[in-house]
Amino acid sequence: MNVQELTYYPKPSDFSKVTFWDTDFSHIDWKRHASFVIERVFGYGTEEEQQLVVKMYGWPIVREFEHSFTPNDYNKNAKINLQKMMAYASL
């Protein structure tokens, strides 16, 4: 996944500690770790956090990620949440 630019750079307060429980927020490279961020937020984040990820990366990048899931229970939840949000946005 090639992320050139972000439309928004998040602050630590934008995400709950639950979503990134095992990650030092200051070490996240939002462009380079886009797949990790999208998967984590759609797998464990709130709807508001999911909307923030769409705002950050844009729908084309987020939709591209849907096709890169490796099948497992964690990704299954992320994919379901992503499909719900896409349906809600009528994409």
Side-chain angles (χ1 to χ4, degrees):
M1 182 175 306
N2 187 12
V3 176
Q4 298 297 322
E5 291 298 321
L6 297 180
T7 58
Y8 176 80
Y9 282 88
K11 303 178 294 276
S13 61
D14 288 335
F15 294 101
S16 70
K17 292 181 182 181
V18 172
T19 304
F20 292 102
W21 76 91
D22 61 347
T23 306
D24 182 344
F25 200 84
S26 65
H27 290 125
I28 298 173
D29 180 326
W30 298 101
K31 290 180 188 178
R32 199 172 66 189
H33 300 135
S35 292
F36 166 76
V37 171
I38 293 168
E39 183 175 357
R40 181 60 67 94
V41 171
F42 277 91
Y44 296 105
T46 65
E47 188 174 325
E48 290 80 19
E49 291 170 332
Q50 293 168 9
Q51 291 171 354
L52 179 60
V53 163
V54 172
K55 177 181 175 183
M56 288 167 51
Y57 296 111
W59 272 117
I61 295 293
V62 174
R63 288 174 63 185
E64 179 184 328
F65 175 74
E66 178 189 15
H67 304 292
S68 69
F69 282 110
T70 0
N72 62 43
D73 289 339
Y74 168 69
N75 284 340
K76 182 180 176 183
N77 189 41
K79 189 168 187 169
I80 290 168
N81 288 334
L82 177 56
Q83 289 170 340
K84 284 180 188 175
M85 183 163 280
M86 288 172 58
Y88 178 73
S90 299
L91 296 176

